[in-house]
Amino acid sequence: MRLSDLRGRSVAVWGAGREGRAAVTAIAAHGPADLVAVDDSANFLSLPWDGPLAAAAPLVTGEEGFARLAAADVVVRSPGVPQTHPWLVELRRLGVPITQGTALWMADHAARTVGVTGSKGKSTTSSLISHLLTAVDRPNVFGGNIGVPTLDLPEAELYVLELSSYQCSDLTDSPRVAAVTALFPEHLDAHGGEREYYRDKLNLLAHGPQTIVVNGADPRLAAELGDRPAVRAGASDTTHVATGPDGTPWFHLGDQPLFPRAVLPLVGRHNEGNLCVALAVLDALGVDVVDRKDTLAVAVAEFQGLAHRLTEIADPSGLTFVDDTLATSPYAAMHAIDAYEGRPLTVIVGGNDRGLDYTPLREHLAEREITVIGIPDSGPRIVEALTGLPAVRTEIAEDLVAAVGLSRKLTPAGGVVLLSPAAPSYGRFRNYEHRSEVFAEAVRDTAR
């Protein structure tokens, strides 16, 4: 379904946030017979619905909203509406056609698009792809889940999109190059279960992409892909890390060395994998990666890591404080812990308790010497899951600020204090940015 297919039809846009606003503006320009916006979660934090938006589509809230959705020819839902929402379940039962702004946009732009998803690494990898393409004279527009709704993007010859599982779920067209960085259980409450989450995430690959690029080192991805043709970054015949001409680790394309691993300023093996995926995408787009390796090396060295993802905070004590607040699952926290292997490490965990199973984290730390500080709400349960591990010291703090203060007492000189909470921020913080602000402020205040 394209935007042009909505002409003369009754359309209900579900959601009044950034994506919903973009959808109303774009759809109104295509002449629907009737256009209404529905917000079932309106509260004091909601932005005003007025001016051109209100003129294009009246906003309906409360229970009346479902009636308007059920009466529409097409419902365009915002990504934040979960698959498990009772209204959505009933609309599907009634057979009401449901799509999203990203799906409408992709129907017209798939051939010019690189789409990147993954349970971990999609933001960094998509940013790297856009950055490297620009460096080799391939102008592109970057957007999607990272901040710019697709329906707000300008016209361009090439797009690079970061796509969440929510955005992938309603696609009926795959991008020209579809890339997946990692796969592990995440957002299960919104998707309905692990199988449903994998289905929605990998829907990015289900509609005829020209090329699929995946992190070949990810076991769940390998299991889900089976024998489907794909470029498996990390394998020896494509982009991978191996010993280079000077005896240190280098990035390679096949048997051709590109540049040293030390060029990449991001820590962790998972970021090596992210760059391997990014380089494989450039190769799939026809960039001569070997011929342009020097240019690419300079661009990689200049790449700035994204905020809230293993972001190091300077501290006069000699400790390294690290903000990884976007690590909202145990698997993401495990990647972050591995990035600081070999250094004394204190990890602060806990946040909104979604009932996740922390057994994988326990197994990962079984033979590791580490200190773990739990904060509300899920921190005490995570700490309990680690009980009995011989080299894991566990503590409980009343909040994030107290945890930072405690970490200064427990972490040896030269060590690392890592906020990698394995849980979302909501409940005690406005959003993940607020949690990062509180962490950084606590680091500064406790240094005095």
Side-chain angles (χ1 to χ4, degrees):
M1 185 182 296
R2 290 174 160 78
L3 278 167
S4 58
D5 294 330
L6 301 181
R7 189 181 311 277
R9 305 179 76 178
S10 171
V11 181
V13 173
W14 187 359
R18 183 178 59 197
E19 292 275 352
R21 289 163 180 263
V24 164
T25 300
I27 294 167
H30 284 77
D34 179 62
L35 181 60
V36 64
V38 174
D39 188 2
D40 66 306
S41 60
N43 56 42
F44 70 96
L45 295 174
S46 299
L47 296 172
W49 190 269
D50 51 21
L53 286 169
L59 179 65
V60 177
T61 60
E63 290 299 319
E64 182 188 351
F66 177 75
R68 299 301 297 268
L69 293 170
D73 294 329
V74 178
V75 169
V76 180
R77 69 178 178 116
S78 293
V81 177
Q83 295 278 21
T84 53
H85 194 297
W87 288 7
L88 190 59
V89 173
E90 180 63 11
L91 290 172
R92 293 197 191 283
R93 189 190 69 80
L94 293 172
V96 177
I98 299 168
T99 187
Q100 282 188 56
T102 299
L104 293 168
W105 182 93
M106 192 71 76
D108 286 319
H109 298 87
R112 290 178 276 159
T113 300
V114 174
V116 183
T117 194
S119 305
K120 174 76 174 176
K122 61 183 179 294
S123 299
T124 297
T125 304
S126 55
S127 297
L128 268 168
I129 292 168
S130 178
H131 175 70
L132 297 180
L133 284 170
T134 300
V136 295
D137 308 313
R138 295 288 296 274
N140 63 93
V141 168
F142 185 37
N145 187 57
I146 203 163
V148 182
T150 50
L151 289 174
D152 279 343
L153 295 176
E155 279 300 309
E157 294 183 5
L158 182 62
Y159 298 90
V160 179
L161 302 184
E162 178 203 335
L163 297 170
S164 69
S165 54
Y166 311 124
Q167 291 170 307
C168 291
S169 62
D170 287 327
L171 294 177
T172 54
D173 300 87
S174 291
R176 172 182 170 185
V177 179
V180 188
T181 61
L183 196 64
F184 52 73
E186 179 69 299
H187 307 304
L188 304 188
D189 51 341
H191 291 273
E194 185 171 343
R195 294 307 317 160
E196 291 79 6
Y197 169 70
Y198 293 163
R199 174 202 66 201
D200 289 347
K201 175 71 79 175
L202 296 180
N203 189 48
L204 180 73
L205 316 179
H207 306 284
Q210 181 175 308
T211 306
I212 295 172
V213 178
V214 300
N215 176 0
D218 188 289
R220 289 181 187 81
L221 261 177
E224 293 296 323
L225 282 173
D227 58 0
R228 181 184 298 182
V231 177
R232 299 173 191 258
S236 60
D237 60 339
T238 179
T239 49
H240 65 285
V241 176
T243 302
D246 62 358
T248 67
W250 279 51
F251 288 95
H252 289 68
L253 175 57
D255 61 0
Q256 295 295 311
L258 300 176
F259 44 80
R261 163 62 177 91
V263 167
L264 177 65
L266 307 182
V267 300
R269 286 190 297 272
H270 65 290
N271 278 318
E272 294 177 8
N274 291 338
L275 181 53
C276 285
V277 170
L279 292 169
V281 167
L282 264 67
D283 185 52
L285 289 171
V287 174
D288 190 334
V289 172
V290 175
D291 183 64
R292 304 301 300 273
K293 63 184 179 182
D294 292 340
T295 299
L296 290 169
V298 172
V300 168
E302 293 175 343
F303 182 74
Q304 299 295 313
L306 302 180
H308 320 298
R309 298 166 178 85
L310 294 179
T311 303
E312 297 189 357
I313 301 172
D315 187 74
S317 70
L319 295 176
T320 301
F321 286 84
V322 182
D323 173 15
D324 194 41
T325 193
L326 283 173
T328 58
S329 78
Y331 298 94
M334 287 152 53
H335 282 298
I337 290 166
D338 286 348
Y340 291 95
E341 187 174 7
R343 296 182 63 181
L345 182 61
T346 297
V347 184
I348 300 172
V349 299
N352 181 261
D353 195 341
R354 297 177 293 170
L356 296 179
D357 178 14
Y358 288 100
T359 302
L361 181 61
R362 176 186 174 86
E363 294 171 349
H364 195 69
L365 299 181
E367 299 181 3
R368 191 182 297 262
E369 186 173 345
I370 192 172
T371 297
V372 179
I373 302 175
I375 61 174
D377 294 319
S378 60
R381 193 166 67 81
I382 298 173
V383 163
E384 183 180 2
L386 304 178
T387 300
L389 294 180
V392 177
R393 174 176 181 173
T394 57
E395 300 284 347
I396 298 293
E398 63 181 0
D399 57 26
L400 179 54
V401 174
V404 171
L406 181 58
S407 72
R408 286 193 179 276
K409 300 176 183 177
L410 300 179
T411 310
V416 177
V417 177
L418 171 65
L419 172 64
S420 194
S425 59
Y426 45 83
R428 293 178 179 265
F429 302 93
R430 292 189 300 274
N431 47 40
Y432 68 87
E433 292 100 338
H434 182 211
R435 180 161 63 182
S436 288
E437 291 168 8
V438 171
F439 179 63
E441 185 175 350
V443 171
R444 290 192 297 270
D445 290 347
T446 56
R448 295 170 185 166

